[in-house]
Amino acid sequence: MWFECKVRFDKMMENGLVKKVTEPYMVDALSFTEAEARIIQELTPFISGEFSVAAVKKTKISEIFWDDSADKWYLVKPAFITIDEKTAVEKRSVSQILVAGSDFKGAYDNFLEGMKGTMADYDIVSIQETPLMDVFKANLSGPVGNNSNDSNK
């Protein structure tokens, strides 16, 4: 599950003034508690001084298309089109997909690349730039220093 975490901290602005800001981040977690712990773990090395997690909310993101060279995140809403076999009525179900892109066209291209091979028909309902600062995948290897493959135990 993807959670949006809003983190509040003092940030040095380009003009040299310190301003209290709240920035949104996305983390992959199983619960609200894990999401809060993950965002604290991810941001601690990068934020000097104190910070707090102002909010954690579950999102409806169904998939994420990554691009390591991109610095922005876009929310793409495709409407998947299906036909009800009994009534022959067309049904549209809208999904939310987070796509990395350097700009709008890059996000569009990355979305199309991510959808290659998809058999379902779809229309793009919207593409919108998000205020997300970063997105953190699940840490599947576990905590640093916890190597379960260590044969010297």
Side-chain angles (χ1 to χ4, degrees), residues 11-18:
K11 184 175 187 176
M12 178 73 75
M13 306 310 283
E14 291 178 11
N15 61 7
L17 295 176
V18 175

Side-chain angles (χ1 to χ4, degrees), residues 36-88:
E36 184 176 10
R38 286 273 331 280
I39 199 63
I40 290 169
Q41 175 189 7
E42 295 287 354
L43 294 182
T44 296
F46 303 106
I47 297 176
S48 61
E50 291 188 24
F51 66 94
S52 64
V53 179
V56 178
K57 72 176 185 180
K58 201 182 299 187
T59 68
K60 294 182 179 181
I61 301 296
S62 61
E63 199 165 348
I64 296 182
F65 296 153
W66 302 89
D67 179 351
D68 292 336
S69 66
D71 60 349
K72 295 179 185 173
W73 291 96
Y74 291 81
L75 183 63
V76 180
K77 293 183 180 180
F80 291 96
I81 303 162
T82 56
I83 306 289
D84 187 313
E85 292 179 12
K86 294 179 183 174
T87 62

Side-chain angles (χ1 to χ4, degrees), residues 2-132:
W2 290 98
F3 290 85
E4 182 179 312
C5 301
K6 293 193 176 182
V7 179
R8 189 159 176 78
F9 62 98
D10 292 331
K11 184 175 187 176
M12 178 73 75
M13 306 310 283
E14 291 178 11
N15 61 7
L17 295 176
V18 175
K19 181 180 177 185
K20 192 162 277 293
V21 297
T22 303
E23 294 181 341
Y25 295 86
M26 189 83 70
V27 295
D28 188 12
L30 297 173
S31 67
F32 287 91
T33 305
E34 182 187 352
E36 184 176 10
R38 286 273 331 280
I39 199 63
I40 290 169
Q41 175 189 7
E42 295 287 354
L43 294 182
T44 296
F46 303 106
I47 297 176
S48 61
E50 291 188 24
F51 66 94
S52 64
V53 179
V56 178
K57 72 176 185 180
K58 201 182 299 187
T59 68
K60 294 182 179 181
I61 301 296
S62 61
E63 199 165 348
I64 296 182
F65 296 153
W66 302 89
D67 179 351
D68 292 336
S69 66
D71 60 349
K72 295 179 185 173
W73 291 96
Y74 291 81
L75 183 63
V76 180
K77 293 183 180 180
F80 291 96
I81 303 162
T82 56
I83 306 289
D84 187 313
E85 292 179 12
K86 294 179 183 174
T87 62
V89 174
E90 190 176 279
K91 180 183 173 192
R92 294 166 51 100
S93 60
V94 178
S95 292
Q96 295 185 16
I97 299 176
L98 198 59
V99 181
S102 299
D103 54 20
F104 184 89
K105 180 163 180 0
Y108 176 76
D109 292 343
N110 289 341
F111 172 77
L112 293 179
E113 181 66 28
M115 294 301 286
K116 273 189 177 168
T118 301
M119 300 299 285
D121 291 332
Y122 64 90
D123 291 327
I124 297 174
V125 175
S126 69
I127 300 177
Q128 180 179 6
E129 186 177 346
T130 72
L132 290 172

